[in-house]
Amino acid sequence: MEEEKIVYSRPECSNHLSATEDALYVLGGRWTIRVMIAILGGHTRFNELQRTISGISARVLSSELKKLEINHLVERTVITDQKPVLVEYVPTEYSESLKDVIAALADWGARHKKKITA
């Protein structure tokens, strides 16, 4: 079975590179996708996120959450009618667009791991 080659014109290639660079600017950090996976998986509180994402420091997690909030992928919600005050990080409707991207990346990672360990 012959693999179909994707051929881009110079402008198409440039557009793909630019779009990919934009995506990697937002998602390319060491912890960013891990944080999004945890949040999309239902983990919403800071300490819960830190326990779920092995090895991430509080400072780095805080920075990642701020970056995700700026990019409209996470919404910070403060619940003041409880003691102590609760802060939750919830996925936005826009972040749902990442689910297929993350699933494809995880699928590729699993297949790649099988290939290199076979």
Side-chain angles (χ1 to χ4, degrees):
M1 187 162 89
E2 193 174 310
E3 230 180 273
E4 187 178 319
K5 283 189 176 183
I6 299 173
V7 180
Y8 296 120
S9 67
R10 194 168 288 224
E12 288 173 327
C13 184
S14 181
N15 287 341
H16 276 73
L17 287 170
S18 179
T20 302
E21 287 169 3
D22 290 343
L24 289 175
Y25 178 78
V26 175
L27 300 173
R30 176 179 177 190
W31 300 101
T32 308
I33 291 179
R34 294 173 183 152
V35 172
M36 278 309 307
I37 290 169
I39 290 172
L40 289 168
H43 302 281
T44 59
R45 296 190 186 139
F46 188 90
N47 287 337
E48 184 180 19
L49 289 166
Q50 192 173 15
R51 282 191 301 272
T52 300
I53 305 164
S54 180
I56 194 168
S57 71
R59 191 179 106 247
V60 171
L61 178 57
S62 178
S63 174
E64 289 293 329
L65 290 167
K66 285 176 188 169
K67 186 172 87 169
L68 290 169
E69 191 175 7
I70 288 168
N71 285 288
H72 304 283
L73 295 169
V74 170
E75 187 175 287
R76 184 177 187 264
T77 305
V78 180
I79 303 166
T80 58
D81 58 350
Q82 291 186 11
K83 295 286 183 191
V85 173
L86 293 177
V87 177
E88 293 185 334
Y89 297 89
V90 295
T92 62
E93 189 175 312
Y94 179 57
S95 71
E96 295 291 317
S97 63
L98 283 177
K99 282 187 174 181
D100 290 341
V101 173
I102 291 171
L105 190 59
D107 182 53
W108 183 87
R111 285 182 289 137
H112 178 68
K113 188 173 187 174
K114 280 183 187 177
K115 180 177 181 74
I116 63 171
T117 58

